[in-house]
């Protein structure tokens, strides 16, 4: 007999509502949930792949332990005993910093990892906590911290009400939006144009999004220069009008002074964006009542990611679009993590300590992952000797992945909380596999902070978890008990409840407490878990509201437009501008609709068809390098090289080549039977972990210098 369930696709930030039809323990069908107030029936091709994931014979459902180089199934107690014993011994002998942690992207989409995992990692007391943050959104969080006083204050473009959407370094038609939860962006962007508005995409590639919009090519890594020129024009032409919040803003004088040195005519040769286009953009932003500048991963993971991300906020503020409808706004989430985090002392921190080997700054209590490999391989006090990974695949997803791949082999012990034996977890001594997305309940804790409307959604599991399975939160709670004993902040935070009660409470209990304490909870008839259960499609809480100044966490509720950290980084940018040479060949990435970072290539329906790990090369460069369409080429850098097929395309600007990330599944020992037949090559075997945004320690994945040669030429 078939049954219908309402669930969420937790693969990306759009978090679309889905309707799952099951027959016993089988998924029969997955469709968009027409009644979800946010997604209204929209899904992308990845949602149906949740069925492949659920039924994937390669997915682990029981713990495995490595014996004589092979993984063998064991019971949970045996696995937990081993992990507890080994990690305690290593910590006992070498101190807390000897334990390292890396947690990855799916954490953000997993209630259990958020409320039990992250607090566990923080409670271990080690400096060596690493996350996907530093190959992703770290610069956005830094801007939140330095400008508004809280790392969780991330601005969201009010896309449904804007008349000018300027999109830098993002391709929402493929990524489905990031720090902008807005399912069906194709429809939402079409609506902007249909109401007479404009969409302008600034990107080194004419992306799928750019194809439906106005497009300006920009040379990778130069957004900060272009944005400074926008600021220059705003001041020079008397267009800087911050509006309602002007009285709260500090740093206007400093901004005017620094922007003076960056007129568009001076930056244009380096950025590739014509001075006239920059002037026109500045004027349009200043004169359009509802406009928003939005920047995403392309402006974060580059040499000047900190500066570029800061300047996006600055331009929104100077043109009066900060915290205004149709502009750059802030949410009112039903569970508001920002004040809770502040209570717990986690409003954010930057540079309070530095990494041991390279001296990179901590952010939010975590170190940049570009330095993890050397923290493992460099002897001395504080060396990482054991590693916990959770929901991460840093061998494929962080720069110089080969180096990390080798470093993992030197660990004394490694445990991974992950459903797959993949490029990273193959190094583990123990793998603890959690339940899958259809086997656990879900509440959108994080994405409600970055959504284009306010809403709340709770979804019970589609399938009950099997007797022999464990949820991520159960695994993390058990590890907390084994590693830390009952007297840990994680457990203390819940009062004197103790492990048994916490385990009974589970993520649901925590959601219930959070809802009641949240801004929608205290109202009469406010939100509770019971109410959310009665609305299985989710509850719409309306459009974004003005939140400033109340929402500011700075002293005196100020908005700091020119923090000294950014001003101090400007000489580095100026040097780069002055030393720039034409003729460099640089590498950028590319996301693909049927991929999800590195980990969904084991779904037959997502990988079928032509190979997709292909290098895009501009026709001028192809001619110069003697490359033809379909030929194999060698892409190389200072740290490594890969062999990839070439597609000659004027989609990329001259001097730029593009390769998608997340491929390279041919390493020995991975247990991904579908993915390894469509292996591709890993872009991060070529990216250098020494190329970083020096201000923030974020990986500069984009804009690294590379060389490309025809494979045939190599042979002859
Ligand atoms: N289908 C699919 N969806 C995904 C993912 C996936 O792997 N596949 N990953 C998810 C994750 S983890 C994230 S963080 C989001 C990211 O979401 P987006 O930020 O929308 O992701 P990208 O498609 O990588 O877009 C980055 C764009 O920046 C451009 N770019 C590169 N360098 C520069 C530069 O220096 N300046 C400018 N202006 N542009 C530059 C690239 O050409 C690219 O078009 O997507 C999420 N959604
Ligand atoms: N060159 C280049 N590199 C990039 C990027 C780029 O654009 N270019 N993008 C960067 C970005 S934005 C990101 S976010 C990172 C992603 O970096 P990571 O998060 O390290 O990598 P993912 O590929 O997302 O790997 C996710 C892992 O989590 C496991 N997993 C999936 N679901 C769950 C779950 O519910 N619980 C647990 N415990 N495990 C789960 C999967 O099996 C997989 O091992 O990659 C970054 N790397
Ligand atoms: S856009 Fe696709 S992957 Fe993202 S939540 Fe929706 S269905 Fe899932
Ligand atoms: Mo990401």
């Amino acid at each position: 007999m078939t049954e219908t369930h309402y669930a969420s696709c937790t693969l990306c930030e759009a978090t679309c509502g889905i309707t799952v039809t099951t027959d016993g323990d089988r998924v029969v069908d997955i469709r968009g949930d027409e009644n979800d107030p946010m997604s209204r029936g929209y899904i992308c091709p990845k949602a149906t792949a949740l069925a492949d994931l659920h039924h994937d014979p390669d997915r682990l459902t029981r713990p495995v332990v490595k014996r004589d180089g092979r993984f063998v199934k064991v019971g949970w107690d045996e696995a937990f005993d081993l992990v507890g014993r080994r990690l305690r011994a290593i910590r006992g002998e070498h101190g807390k910093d000897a334990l390292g942690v890396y947690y990855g992207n799916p954490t953000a989409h997993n209630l259990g990892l958020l409320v039990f995992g992250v607090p566990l990692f923080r409670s271990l007391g080690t400096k060596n906590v690493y996350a996907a943050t530093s190959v992703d959104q770290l610069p956005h969080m830094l801007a939140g911290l330095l400008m508004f006083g809280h790392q969780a204050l991330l601005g969201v473009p009010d896309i449904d009400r804007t008349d000018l959407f300027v999109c830098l370094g993002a391709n929402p038609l493929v990524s489905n939006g990031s720090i902008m939860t807005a399912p069906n962006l194709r429809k939402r962007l079409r609506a902007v144009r249909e109401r007479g508005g404009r969409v302008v995409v600034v990107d080194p590639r004419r992306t799928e999004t750019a194809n439906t919009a106005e497009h300006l090519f920009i040379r990778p890594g130069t957004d900060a220069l272009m944005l400074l020129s926008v600021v220059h024009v705003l001041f020079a032409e008397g267009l800087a009008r911050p509006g309602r919040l002007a009285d709260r803003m500090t740093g206007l004088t400093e901004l005017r002074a620094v922007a003076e040195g960056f007129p568009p005519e001076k930056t244009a040769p380096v950025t590739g964006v014509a001075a006239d286009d920059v002037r026109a953009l500045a004027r349009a932003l200043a004169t359009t009542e509802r406009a928003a500048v939005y920047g995403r991963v392309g402006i974060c993971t580059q040499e000047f990611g900190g500066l570029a991300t800061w300047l996006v906020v600055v331009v929104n503020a100077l043109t009066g679009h900060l915290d205004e409808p149709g502009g750059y706004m802030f949410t009112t989430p039903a569970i508001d993590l920002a004040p809770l985090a502040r209570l717990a002392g986690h409003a954010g921190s930057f540079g309070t300590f530095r990494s041991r080997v390279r001296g990179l700054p901590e952010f939010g209590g975590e170190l940049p992952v570009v330095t993890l490999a050397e923290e493992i391989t460099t002897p001395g006090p504080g060396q990482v000797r054991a590693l916990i990974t959770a929901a991460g695949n840093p061998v494929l997803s962080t720069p110089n992945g080969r180096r990390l791949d080798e470093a993992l082999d030197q660990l004394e012990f490694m445990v991974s909380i992950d459903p797959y034996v993949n490029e990273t977890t193959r190094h583990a001594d123990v793998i603890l596999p959690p339940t899958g997305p259809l086997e656990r309940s879900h509440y959108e804790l994080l994405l409600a902070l970055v959504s284009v409307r306010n809403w709340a959604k709770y979804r019970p599991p589609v399938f009950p978890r099997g007797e022999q399975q464990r949820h991520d939160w159960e695994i993390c709670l058990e590890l907390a008990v084994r590693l830390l004993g009952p007297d840990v902040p994680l457990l203390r935070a819940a009062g004197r409840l103790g492990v048994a009660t916490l385990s009974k409470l589970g993520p649901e209990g925590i959601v219930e407490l959070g809802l009641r304490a949240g801004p929608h909870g205290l109202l009469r008839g406010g939100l509770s878990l019971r109410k959310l259960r009665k609305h299985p499609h989710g509850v719409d809480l309306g459009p974004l509201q003005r939140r400033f100044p109340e929402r500011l966490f700075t002293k005196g509720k100020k908005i700091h437009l020119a923090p000294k950290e950014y001003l101090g980084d400007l000489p580095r940018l100026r040097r780069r501008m002055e030393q720039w040479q034409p003729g460099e060949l640089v590498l950028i990435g590319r996301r693909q609709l049927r991929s999800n970072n590195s980990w969904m290539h084991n779904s037959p329906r997502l990988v079928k068809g032509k190979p997709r790990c292909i290098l895009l090369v501009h026709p001028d460069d192809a001619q110069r390098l003697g490359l033809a369409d379909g030929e194999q080429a060698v892409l190389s850098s200072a740290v490594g090289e890969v062999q990839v097929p070439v597609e000659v395309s004027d989609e990329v600007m001259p001097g730029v080549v593009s390769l998608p990330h997340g491929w390279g599944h041919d390493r020995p020992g991975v247990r991904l039977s579908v993915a390894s037949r469509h292996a591709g090559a890993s872009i991060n075997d070529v990216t250098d972990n020494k190329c970083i945004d020096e201000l923030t320690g974020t990986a500069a994945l984009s804009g690294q210098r590379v060389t490309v040669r025809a494979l045939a030429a190599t042979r002859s």
Side-chain angles (χ1 to χ4, degrees):
M1 219 190 54
T2 62
E3 273 183 71
T4 303
H5 308 260
Y6 302 111
S8 291
C9 174
T10 49
L11 293 175
C12 91
E13 295 177 47
T15 186
C16 302
I18 52 174
T19 304
V20 184
T21 312
T22 58
D23 187 355
D25 60 1
R26 305 293 304 173
V27 177
V28 180
D29 185 43
I30 296 182
R31 283 162 201 259
D33 177 357
E34 307 280 345
N35 294 314
D36 182 294
M38 284 294 285
S39 59
R40 301 194 178 281
Y42 172 82
I43 47 169
C44 85
K46 286 189 292 299
T48 50
L50 287 170
D52 294 349
L53 182 62
H54 183 70
H55 296 298
D56 189 344
D58 289 335
R59 182 164 73 106
L60 302 174
T61 52
R62 299 275 301 275
V64 291
V65 167
K66 204 179 269 159
R67 289 203 184 116
D68 303 322
R70 295 174 54 108
F71 283 116
V72 293
K73 275 190 201 163
V74 297
W76 284 97
D77 272 338
E78 189 181 340
F80 282 127
D81 283 346
L82 177 62
V83 174
R85 185 158 38 80
R86 295 286 284 125
L87 292 183
R88 277 197 317 272
I90 291 168
R91 193 181 42 179
E93 193 176 339
H94 302 284
K96 287 179 178 168
D97 292 337
L99 299 193
V101 176
Y102 173 87
Y103 64 97
N105 169 276
T107 308
H109 309 275
N110 184 313
L111 176 63
L113 280 176
L114 282 174
V115 298
F116 285 83
V118 178
L120 161 69
F121 309 145
R122 293 312 180 73
S123 305
L124 292 171
T126 166
K127 289 197 180 94
N128 286 305
V129 179
Y130 303 82
T133 303
S134 53
V135 281
D136 190 350
Q137 81 288 357
L138 194 160
H140 285 286
M141 299 174 75
L142 182 66
L145 178 66
L146 299 179
M147 302 179 81
F148 310 130
H150 200 305
Q151 62 176 3
L153 280 194
L154 307 177
V156 181
D158 185 10
I159 192 130
D160 294 342
R161 289 183 292 182
T162 201
D163 293 320
L164 173 58
F165 178 62
V166 179
C167 175
L168 287 91
N171 185 14
L173 286 200
V174 167
S175 69
N176 281 297
S178 182
I179 315 196
M180 170 171 66
T181 289
N184 202 350
L185 275 151
R186 187 176 292 278
K187 189 168 148 205
R188 288 173 200 265
L189 290 177
R190 198 189 307 132
V192 176
R193 295 192 304 273
E194 281 170 4
R195 57 180 177 263
R198 295 171 59 197
V199 177
V200 180
V201 172
V202 185
D203 201 294
R205 181 168 78 86
R206 193 171 56 250
T207 59
E208 294 76 356
T209 309
N211 265 329
T212 69
E214 301 165 51
H215 175 225
L216 298 171
F217 277 120
I218 187 166
R219 213 159 268 130
T222 66
D223 300 77
L225 288 172
M226 191 209 65
L227 291 164
L228 270 171
S229 290
V230 170
V231 175
H232 175 99
V233 175
L234 293 174
F235 280 115
E237 300 191 3
L239 296 170
R241 286 186 290 253
R244 176 176 64 92
L245 295 162
D247 288 352
R248 306 241 152 223
M249 293 177 184
T250 70
L252 282 154
T253 321
E254 290 88 335
L255 271 180
R256 176 193 287 272
V258 297
E260 213 156 303
F262 297 89
E265 289 70 20
K266 196 167 162 189
T267 56
V270 183
T271 62
V273 185
D276 283 348
D277 288 334
V278 176
R279 288 185 186 277
L281 188 65
R283 288 171 196 149
L285 283 166
T287 55
T288 307
E289 196 182 325
R290 295 184 164 204
V293 187
Y294 164 75
R296 205 34 206 105
V297 83
I299 67 156
C300 292
T301 51
Q302 51 146 291
E303 199 180 345
F304 298 100
L307 289 178
T309 313
W310 161 57
L311 288 163
V312 162
V313 188
V314 165
V315 170
N316 280 307
L318 291 180
T319 50
H321 300 306
L322 185 64
D323 196 42
E324 287 295 334
Y328 191 74
M329 298 196 80
F330 299 83
T331 52
T332 312
I335 297 183
D336 193 354
L337 290 178
L340 296 175
R342 170 131 104 183
L343 273 178
H346 292 305
S349 58
F350 178 49
T352 58
F353 60 90
R354 298 209 157 238
S355 69
R356 179 179 63 107
V357 179
R358 229 197 285 178
L360 297 179
E362 147 282 338
F363 178 78
E366 297 171 358
L367 288 168
V369 71
V370 290
T371 191
L372 175 57
E374 64 233 17
E375 291 292 339
I376 296 172
T377 56
T378 311
Q383 178 183 10
V384 174
R385 291 162 183 274
L387 186 69
I388 304 174
T389 73
N393 191 5
V395 166
L396 292 192
S397 61
T398 68
N400 205 348
R402 283 282 171 197
R403 167 101 201 272
L404 183 64
D405 212 351
E406 287 159 20
L408 296 181
D409 259 344
Q410 298 185 23
L411 290 165
E412 287 172 31
F413 189 76
M414 174 168 160
V415 52
S416 294
I417 308 174
D418 203 289
Y420 283 110
V421 183
N422 64 19
E423 298 74 16
T424 297
T425 61
R426 71 197 174 107
H427 294 283
D429 297 283
V430 181
I431 304 177
L432 305 170
T435 48
L438 299 180
E439 294 155 342
R440 59 174 188 246
S441 60
H442 185 65
Y443 175 86
E444 255 339 314
L445 201 55
L446 222 56
L447 300 181
L449 272 167
V450 293
S451 187
V452 301
R453 282 181 79 81
N454 293 312
W455 53 274
K457 186 157 79 172
Y458 169 80
R459 308 275 178 147
V462 172
F463 296 106
R465 85 147 162 68
E467 188 70 9
Q468 283 306 317
Q469 287 180 286
R470 294 290 178 273
H471 295 302
D472 277 291
W473 73 269
E474 293 175 302
I475 296 171
C476 291
L477 183 60
E478 187 63 33
L479 286 180
V481 172
R482 308 248 174 178
L483 295 178
L484 303 161
D487 185 35
V488 292
L490 167 75
L491 307 179
R492 242 186 285 137
R496 295 183 193 287
L497 291 172
V499 182
T501 323
L502 202 53
S503 136
K504 219 184 208 162
L505 204 61
E508 267 93 350
I510 292 173
V511 165
E512 180 75 298
L513 292 173
L515 283 171
R516 286 178 187 271
H520 305 276
L522 294 174
L523 306 173
R524 245 150 73 98
L527 285 181
S528 62
L529 197 57
R530 190 147 60 111
K531 181 149 176 192
L532 286 184
R533 282 184 196 273
K534 282 196 200 138
H535 292 87
H537 309 285
V539 178
D540 183 21
L541 300 167
L544 302 182
Q545 308 285 333
R546 290 191 182 95
R547 299 299 316 275
F548 287 173
E550 294 73 23
R551 186 79 166 142
L552 292 164
F553 287 77
T554 44
K555 212 167 124 200
K557 299 219 176 276
K558 296 284 188 203
I559 296 166
H560 298 303
L561 292 188
K564 61 178 188 323
E565 290 82 351
Y566 295 122
L567 299 182
D569 198 31
L570 286 171
R572 188 171 67 95
L573 180 66
R574 203 169 294 120
R575 270 199 308 280
R576 184 75 175 101
M577 177 170 71
E578 282 154 10
Q579 290 165 3
W580 180 78
Q581 303 271 334
E584 291 174 351
L585 189 65
V586 299
L587 176 65
I588 62 169
R590 180 162 97 247
R591 280 184 160 70
Q592 298 176 312
L593 196 55
R594 287 185 289 126
S595 291
N596 195 32
N597 297 328
S598 75
W599 71 280
M600 288 293 288
H601 293 146
N602 215 41
S603 157
R605 79 184 88 196
L606 291 186
V607 288
K608 69 169 188 245
K610 283 192 248 157
R612 298 208 302 270
C613 187
I614 288 175
L615 187 73
L616 299 180
V617 182
H618 188 272
D620 296 353
D621 295 315
Q623 199 185 19
R624 186 167 52 82
L625 299 164
L627 290 166
D629 216 38
E631 242 175 34
Q632 292 286 317
V634 179
L635 169 71
S636 57
S637 72
V639 301
E641 60 177 45
V642 293
Q643 193 181 311
V644 279
V646 163
E647 182 182 326
V648 178
S649 164
D650 67 1
E651 201 177 292
V652 282
M653 73 192 286
V656 175
V657 293
S658 162
L659 191 72
H661 78 286
W663 298 92
H665 305 294
D666 51 358
R667 282 151 163 89
V670 301
R671 205 189 289 171
L672 298 164
S673 44
V674 179
S676 35
R677 290 201 300 274
H678 305 262
S682 175
I683 187 175
N684 288 324
D685 287 351
V686 175
T687 55
D688 187 344
N689 63 328
K690 294 270 167 19
C691 293
I692 60 170
D693 170 22
E694 280 169 28
L695 173 64
T696 63
T698 308
L701 299 166
S702 199
Q704 297 199 10
R705 267 168 266 187
V706 289
T707 55
V708 179
R709 60 179 194 273
L711 182 66
T714 321
R715 285 212 182 111
S716 64

